[in-house]
Tab-separated table of all heavy atoms in Angstrom:
chain	number	residue	atom	x	y	z
K	187	LEU	N	143.639	99.683	93.572
K	187	LEU	CA	145.062	99.558	93.203
K	187	LEU	C	145.218	99.552	91.662
K	187	LEU	O	144.563	98.736	91.029
K	187	LEU	CB	145.631	98.261	93.793
K	187	LEU	CG	145.646	98.111	95.356
K	187	LEU	CD1	146.139	96.779	95.836
K	187	LEU	CD2	146.461	99.256	95.982
K	196	THR	N	152.921	100.773	92.107
K	196	THR	CA	151.524	100.602	92.290
K	196	THR	C	150.962	101.937	92.799
K	196	THR	O	151.529	102.572	93.662
K	196	THR	CB	151.177	99.530	93.342
K	196	THR	OG1	151.766	98.357	92.949
K	196	THR	CG2	149.692	99.351	93.505
K	198	LEU	N	147.883	103.549	94.661
K	198	LEU	CA	146.703	103.394	95.540
K	198	LEU	C	145.853	104.618	95.337
K	198	LEU	O	146.238	105.690	95.762
K	198	LEU	CB	147.121	103.301	97.028
K	198	LEU	CG	146.009	103.203	98.000
K	198	LEU	CD1	145.125	101.995	97.824
K	198	LEU	CD2	146.529	103.280	99.441
K	212	LEU	N	148.395	107.533	96.132
K	212	LEU	CA	149.686	107.323	96.774
K	212	LEU	C	150.482	106.323	95.839
K	212	LEU	O	149.965	105.301	95.574
K	212	LEU	CB	149.517	106.713	98.170
K	212	LEU	CG	150.777	106.322	98.888
K	212	LEU	CD1	151.671	107.537	99.155
K	212	LEU	CD2	150.435	105.597	100.188
K	213	VAL	N	151.627	106.769	95.412
K	213	VAL	CA	152.456	105.927	94.541
K	213	VAL	C	153.466	105.045	95.439
K	213	VAL	O	154.150	105.574	96.299
K	213	VAL	CB	153.303	106.760	93.541
K	213	VAL	CG1	154.158	105.813	92.695
K	213	VAL	CG2	152.366	107.571	92.661
K	214	LEU	N	153.348	103.762	95.219
K	214	LEU	CA	154.168	102.812	96.026
K	214	LEU	C	155.112	102.070	95.174
K	214	LEU	O	154.773	101.574	94.107
K	214	LEU	CB	153.262	101.808	96.768
K	214	LEU	CG	152.139	102.410	97.627
K	214	LEU	CD1	151.151	101.332	98.022
K	214	LEU	CD2	152.797	103.053	98.850
K	215	ALA	N	156.402	101.967	95.569
K	215	ALA	CA	157.341	101.171	94.766
K	215	ALA	C	156.969	99.694	94.887
K	215	ALA	O	156.759	99.139	95.955
K	215	ALA	CB	158.760	101.420	95.392
K	216	GLY	N	157.080	98.999	93.733
K	216	GLY	CA	156.719	97.614	93.685
K	216	GLY	C	155.273	97.401	93.476
K	216	GLY	O	154.484	98.277	93.451
K	217	TRP	N	154.932	96.077	93.309
K	217	TRP	CA	153.507	95.747	93.143
K	217	TRP	C	152.933	95.311	94.434
K	217	TRP	O	153.498	94.380	95.128
K	217	TRP	CB	153.415	94.638	92.052
K	217	TRP	CG	153.387	95.172	90.650
K	217	TRP	CD1	153.985	96.384	90.300
K	217	TRP	CD2	152.890	94.572	89.471
K	217	TRP	NE1	153.890	96.580	88.916
K	217	TRP	CE2	153.215	95.483	88.363
K	217	TRP	CE3	152.205	93.364	89.200
K	217	TRP	CZ2	152.769	95.175	87.100
K	217	TRP	CZ3	151.858	93.112	87.939
K	217	TRP	CH2	152.173	94.020	86.872
K	218	TRP	N	151.756	95.847	94.716
K	218	TRP	CA	151.085	95.502	96.032
K	218	TRP	C	149.665	95.058	95.729
K	218	TRP	O	149.069	95.449	94.700
K	218	TRP	CB	151.086	96.728	96.979
K	218	TRP	CG	152.472	97.156	97.342
K	218	TRP	CD1	153.341	97.930	96.726
K	218	TRP	CD2	153.224	96.643	98.528
K	218	TRP	NE1	154.484	98.074	97.387
K	218	TRP	CE2	154.483	97.208	98.445
K	218	TRP	CE3	152.845	95.746	99.545
K	218	TRP	CZ2	155.413	97.015	99.471
K	218	TRP	CZ3	153.843	95.529	100.556
K	218	TRP	CH2	155.093	96.158	100.424
K	219	TYR	N	149.117	94.293	96.684
K	219	TYR	CA	147.797	93.667	96.468
K	219	TYR	C	146.923	93.807	97.753
K	219	TYR	O	147.474	94.061	98.854
K	219	TYR	CB	147.911	92.211	96.101
K	219	TYR	CG	148.911	91.920	94.958
K	219	TYR	CD1	150.268	91.678	95.257
K	219	TYR	CD2	148.483	91.928	93.624
K	219	TYR	CE1	151.167	91.444	94.208
K	219	TYR	CE2	149.381	91.662	92.670
K	219	TYR	CZ	150.677	91.436	92.886
K	219	TYR	OH	151.548	91.221	91.829
K	221	PRO	N	145.088	91.948	100.633
K	221	PRO	CA	145.151	90.545	101.278
K	221	PRO	C	143.801	89.870	101.083
K	221	PRO	O	142.740	90.524	101.147
K	221	PRO	CB	145.372	90.899	102.781
K	221	PRO	CG	145.982	92.234	102.838
K	221	PRO	CD	145.396	93.002	101.660
K	229	SER	N	141.044	94.225	103.604
K	229	SER	CA	142.175	94.970	103.783
K	229	SER	C	141.988	96.306	104.532
K	229	SER	O	142.926	96.858	105.132
K	229	SER	CB	142.857	95.318	102.424
K	229	SER	OG	141.979	96.034	101.656
K	236	GLU	N	142.810	102.375	108.729
K	236	GLU	CA	144.038	101.610	108.426
K	236	GLU	C	143.754	100.709	107.271
K	236	GLU	O	142.786	100.044	107.179
K	236	GLU	CB	144.499	100.801	109.621
K	236	GLU	CG	145.893	100.151	109.400
K	236	GLU	CD	146.528	99.775	110.713
K	236	GLU	OE1	146.892	100.714	111.420
K	236	GLU	OE2	146.667	98.588	111.092
K	237	LEU	N	144.724	100.678	106.335
K	237	LEU	CA	144.623	99.897	105.081
K	237	LEU	C	145.829	98.997	105.003
K	237	LEU	O	147.027	99.433	105.173
K	237	LEU	CB	144.494	100.747	103.916
K	237	LEU	CG	144.380	100.114	102.538
K	237	LEU	CD1	143.031	99.407	102.393
K	237	LEU	CD2	144.492	101.107	101.346
K	238	LEU	N	145.660	97.667	104.755
K	238	LEU	CA	146.769	96.722	104.640
K	238	LEU	C	146.885	96.320	103.169
K	238	LEU	O	145.908	95.995	102.527
K	238	LEU	CB	146.502	95.481	105.450
K	238	LEU	CG	146.815	95.574	106.964
K	238	LEU	CD1	146.653	94.197	107.565
K	238	LEU	CD2	148.223	96.060	107.266
K	239	LEU	N	148.130	96.234	102.705
K	239	LEU	CA	148.443	95.707	101.412
K	239	LEU	C	149.545	94.698	101.591
K	239	LEU	O	150.276	94.673	102.574
K	239	LEU	CB	148.938	96.850	100.466
K	239	LEU	CG	147.974	98.016	100.243
K	239	LEU	CD1	148.670	99.094	99.383
K	239	LEU	CD2	146.726	97.469	99.629
K	240	VAL	N	149.661	93.783	100.627
K	240	VAL	CA	150.680	92.738	100.798
K	240	VAL	C	151.396	92.600	99.389
K	240	VAL	O	150.857	92.822	98.358
K	240	VAL	CB	150.025	91.393	101.191
K	240	VAL	CG1	149.072	90.848	100.092
K	240	VAL	CG2	151.038	90.405	101.537
K	241	ASN	N	152.669	92.241	99.411
K	241	ASN	CA	153.463	92.189	98.266
K	241	ASN	C	153.554	90.812	97.582
K	241	ASN	O	154.272	90.664	96.590
K	241	ASN	CB	154.905	92.681	98.538
K	241	ASN	CG	155.657	91.726	99.424
K	241	ASN	OD1	155.054	90.864	100.114
K	241	ASN	ND2	156.983	91.805	99.425
K	251	SER	N	156.040	87.063	102.906
K	251	SER	CA	155.155	88.218	102.566
K	251	SER	C	155.250	89.369	103.489
K	251	SER	O	155.258	89.215	104.691
K	251	SER	CB	153.710	87.783	102.535
K	251	SER	OG	153.484	86.720	101.590
K	252	THR	N	155.446	90.587	102.907
K	252	THR	CA	155.521	91.796	103.681
K	252	THR	C	154.228	92.518	103.554
K	252	THR	O	153.656	92.738	102.456
K	252	THR	CB	156.641	92.746	103.126
K	252	THR	OG1	157.879	92.054	103.349
K	252	THR	CG2	156.652	94.060	103.888
K	253	PHE	N	153.662	92.985	104.705
K	253	PHE	CA	152.462	93.700	104.692
K	253	PHE	C	152.766	95.228	104.876
K	253	PHE	O	153.561	95.577	105.717
K	253	PHE	CB	151.588	93.281	105.831
K	253	PHE	CG	150.838	91.967	105.551
K	253	PHE	CD1	151.520	90.758	105.692
K	253	PHE	CD2	149.469	91.938	105.229
K	253	PHE	CE1	150.846	89.520	105.406
K	253	PHE	CE2	148.850	90.812	104.960
K	253	PHE	CZ	149.510	89.601	105.043
K	254	LEU	N	152.134	95.995	104.024
K	254	LEU	CA	152.349	97.468	104.072
K	254	LEU	C	151.173	98.074	104.790
K	254	LEU	O	150.013	97.847	104.413
K	254	LEU	CB	152.449	97.972	102.653
K	254	LEU	CG	152.664	99.458	102.439
K	254	LEU	CD1	154.052	99.926	102.974
K	254	LEU	CD2	152.419	99.924	101.037
K	255	VAL	N	151.438	98.846	105.817
K	255	VAL	CA	150.349	99.499	106.546
K	255	VAL	C	150.234	100.953	106.064
K	255	VAL	O	151.239	101.717	106.141
K	255	VAL	CB	150.717	99.498	108.115
K	255	VAL	CG1	149.562	100.067	108.880
K	255	VAL	CG2	150.949	98.062	108.529
K	256	VAL	N	149.008	101.282	105.647
K	256	VAL	CA	148.798	102.656	105.107
K	256	VAL	C	147.764	103.387	105.936
K	256	VAL	O	146.733	102.734	106.335
K	256	VAL	CB	148.351	102.561	103.659
K	256	VAL	CG1	148.013	103.996	103.100
K	256	VAL	CG2	149.397	101.946	102.789
K	257	ASP	N	148.014	104.663	106.242
K	257	ASP	CA	147.015	105.493	106.865
K	257	ASP	C	146.195	106.128	105.757
K	257	ASP	O	146.714	107.052	105.139
K	257	ASP	CB	147.665	106.513	107.718
K	257	ASP	CG	146.717	107.500	108.423
K	257	ASP	OD1	145.469	107.461	108.088
K	257	ASP	OD2	147.031	108.279	109.229
K	262	LYS	N	149.250	107.932	103.622
K	262	LYS	CA	150.654	107.866	103.945
K	262	LYS	C	150.991	106.455	104.427
K	262	LYS	O	150.247	105.877	105.192
K	262	LYS	CB	150.980	108.940	104.992
K	262	LYS	CG	152.466	108.950	105.406
K	262	LYS	CD	152.674	110.026	106.485
K	262	LYS	CE	154.153	110.070	106.884
K	262	LYS	NZ	154.428	111.068	107.961
K	263	GLU	N	152.096	105.961	103.957
K	263	GLU	CA	152.654	104.682	104.477
K	263	GLU	C	153.146	104.889	105.928
K	263	GLU	O	153.910	105.823	106.194
K	263	GLU	CB	153.826	104.183	103.650
K	263	GLU	CG	154.456	102.921	104.175
K	263	GLU	CD	155.630	102.539	103.330
K	263	GLU	OE1	155.727	102.914	102.092
K	263	GLU	OE2	156.448	101.719	103.831
K	264	VAL	N	152.739	104.007	106.832
K	264	VAL	CA	153.152	104.156	108.224
K	264	VAL	C	153.910	102.975	108.790
K	264	VAL	O	154.412	102.984	109.952
K	264	VAL	CB	151.916	104.386	109.107
K	264	VAL	CG1	151.186	105.751	108.786
K	264	VAL	CG2	150.905	103.300	109.018
K	265	GLY	N	154.056	101.874	107.996
K	265	GLY	CA	154.892	100.726	108.494
K	265	GLY	C	154.854	99.542	107.588
K	265	GLY	O	153.990	99.458	106.707
K	266	ARG	N	155.730	98.610	107.845
K	266	ARG	CA	155.840	97.384	107.098
K	266	ARG	C	156.250	96.315	108.130
K	266	ARG	O	157.026	96.456	108.978
K	266	ARG	CB	156.956	97.449	106.065
K	266	ARG	CG	156.666	98.546	104.993
K	266	ARG	CD	157.598	98.390	103.775
K	266	ARG	NE	157.452	99.457	102.802
K	266	ARG	CZ	157.807	99.394	101.532
K	266	ARG	NH1	158.436	98.294	101.129
K	266	ARG	NH2	157.550	100.396	100.702
K	267	VAL	N	155.514	95.113	107.952
K	267	VAL	CA	155.786	93.941	108.798
K	267	VAL	C	155.765	92.683	107.959
K	267	VAL	O	155.139	92.664	106.863
K	267	VAL	CB	154.724	93.910	109.867
K	267	VAL	CG1	154.834	95.024	110.829
K	267	VAL	CG2	153.295	93.709	109.337
K	268	THR	N	156.518	91.688	108.474
K	268	THR	CA	156.460	90.342	107.826
K	268	THR	C	156.064	89.356	108.899
K	268	THR	O	156.852	88.736	109.546
K	268	THR	CB	157.900	89.985	107.331
K	268	THR	OG1	158.322	90.975	106.441
K	268	THR	CG2	157.871	88.669	106.499
K	269	PRO	N	154.710	89.291	109.171
K	269	PRO	CA	154.183	88.508	110.319
K	269	PRO	C	154.379	87.070	110.256
K	269	PRO	O	154.417	86.442	111.336
K	269	PRO	CB	152.742	88.952	110.333
K	269	PRO	CG	152.435	89.258	108.902
K	269	PRO	CD	153.634	89.842	108.324
K	296	LEU	N	145.973	91.363	113.062
K	296	LEU	CA	145.782	90.675	111.832
K	296	LEU	C	145.660	89.187	112.159
K	296	LEU	O	146.380	88.651	113.017
K	296	LEU	CB	147.005	90.882	110.908
K	296	LEU	CG	147.131	90.046	109.676
K	296	LEU	CD1	146.002	90.409	108.666
K	296	LEU	CD2	148.477	90.218	109.041
K	320	LEU	N	149.889	94.495	115.077
K	320	LEU	CA	150.557	95.353	114.145
K	320	LEU	C	151.047	96.684	114.699
K	320	LEU	O	151.822	97.362	114.042
K	320	LEU	CB	149.578	95.648	112.974
K	320	LEU	CG	149.101	94.432	112.170
K	320	LEU	CD1	148.114	94.912	111.121
K	320	LEU	CD2	150.245	93.687	111.569
Side-chain angles (χ1 to χ4, degrees):
L187 297 176
T196 302
L198 173 64
L212 175 64
V213 179
L214 304 168
W217 279 23
W218 296 88
Y219 309 90
S229 61
E236 187 158 294
L237 180 68
L238 280 186
L239 303 176
V240 65
N241 68 340
S251 297
T252 297
F253 284 76
L254 181 70
V255 185
V256 175
D257 179 350
K262 180 180 179 181
E263 177 185 339
V264 294
R266 299 189 181 202
V267 296
T268 307
L296 171 67
L320 299 178

